[in-house]
Amino acid sequence: MDVLGKIKIKFFSSAVLKYIAMISMLIDHIAASGLIFLLFNIAVSMRLYYISRMIGRVAFPIYLFLLVEGFVHTKNIKKYIIRLTLFAILSEVPFDMAFWGGFVNMQHQNVMWSLLICVIMLCGIKKYPDFSVIFVGIGCFTAWLIKSDYEYIGPLAVGCMYLFRERAVYKNIATAIIFSFEPPALFSLIPINMYNGKKGKSLKYLFYFFYPVHLLALVLIKNILR
């Protein structure tokens, strides 16, 4: 029974969810990049840092949810994979500069690689559903091996979101368990469960460009303020 639907609170389109995730991610990255410590004194910065990081935990589960929806509804999975691959490559240097202080850091890879692994994993699950657990395992291992952002958490969560896509209660429970190590991330289930199944108005490539561009902007602003 779709209780949420009956009480008319499913009014977030995928575009709105994307904007929520983008704002949350930006707030998180302002803190994680260290920029916040250049804007305020240490006492204020520390408080804002922890608040910002908590707000930022909402972004990743929403992006994973949207990735599953995008995979289900995309008309051309090959173009989807090509876009993710291209922007994973373009985002790597900005990611390393923003968070690790250098052009290359082989110990940490940006979140686009995590999303790419998840999409390829879903292709395997869709084609060979009887081997879903194996594909999820391979996805988790690959993400852990290359040290992509969140490592195995992304493929594990996406696997559950996809397999339980038509069973909201199971999907919510699985997501809550997977992200239980980050309690603030559980608040992402509120907007996710308010998704109305519609695309909404959004710029197609907004998220793809926003990710590397906002990281570069943070690097530039940090260099100006130093």
Side-chain angles (χ1 to χ4, degrees):
M1 180 180 295
D2 192 348
V3 178
L4 290 176
K6 287 191 173 183
I7 59 178
K8 306 298 182 184
I9 66 170
K10 287 196 172 186
F11 49 77
F12 283 169
S13 65
S14 63
V16 173
L17 290 179
K18 189 178 296 184
Y19 297 142
I20 291 173
M22 288 171 60
I23 293 171
S24 171
M25 180 176 65
L26 177 60
I27 292 172
D28 179 55
H29 287 175
I30 290 174
S33 67
L35 175 59
I36 200 167
F37 293 98
L38 299 176
L39 298 173
F40 306 98
N41 63 54
I42 188 64
V44 173
S45 294
M46 288 303 297
R47 294 190 185 93
L48 291 177
Y49 175 84
Y50 289 112
I51 293 173
S52 298
R53 297 311 305 272
M54 287 191 289
I55 293 173
R57 299 310 91 198
V58 172
F60 192 53
I62 294 178
Y63 278 130
L64 297 181
F65 172 77
L66 291 173
L67 179 138
V68 172
E69 292 299 309
F71 176 81
V72 171
H73 294 104
T74 187
K75 296 179 180 179
N76 194 321
I77 191 62
K78 290 182 179 180
K79 288 185 178 180
Y80 196 6
I81 291 175
I82 290 173
R83 284 197 301 269
L84 285 172
T85 302
L86 175 62
F87 280 93
I89 294 171
L90 291 176
S91 301
E92 193 56 37
V93 170
F95 174 80
D96 289 337
M97 292 176 66
F99 301 121
W100 308 107
F103 287 100
V104 179
N105 187 321
M106 299 305 295
Q107 298 302 312
H108 302 277
Q109 318 306 325
N110 73 78
V111 75
M112 288 289 190
W113 293 110
S114 301
L115 301 183
L116 175 61
I117 291 170
C118 288
V119 170
I120 295 174
M121 177 191 75
L122 289 179
C123 289
I125 293 175
K126 182 179 180 180
K127 189 169 183 179
Y128 304 104
D130 291 339
F131 299 97
S132 296
V133 174
I134 294 176
F135 283 113
V136 172
I138 293 173
C140 290
F141 177 75
T142 304
W144 170 84
L145 185 65
I146 71 169
K147 305 300 179 186
S148 62
D149 216 9
Y150 274 90
E151 296 188 359
Y152 65 89
I153 295 297
L156 182 60
V158 164
C160 290
M161 289 179 178
Y162 180 77
L163 295 173
F164 295 138
R165 185 169 176 268
E166 303 299 330
R167 300 182 178 183
V169 174
Y170 292 160
K171 181 179 66 179
N172 289 335
I173 292 174
T175 303
I177 292 174
I178 292 169
F179 284 95
S180 60
F181 71 101
E182 286 186 335
L186 303 186
F187 285 101
S188 65
L189 290 173
I190 297 174
I192 285 175
N193 281 287
M194 297 170 76
Y195 174 57
N196 59 15
K198 298 179 180 179
K199 186 175 181 180
K201 296 181 180 180
S202 66
L203 298 175
K204 184 175 181 180
Y205 293 100
L206 178 60
F207 166 66
Y208 293 101
F209 282 104
F210 179 80
Y211 187 68
V213 170
H214 93 278
L215 291 176
L216 278 176
L218 292 177
V219 172
L220 291 175
I221 295 172
K222 282 173 60 179
N223 288 335
I224 291 172
L225 293 178
R226 281 175 176 166

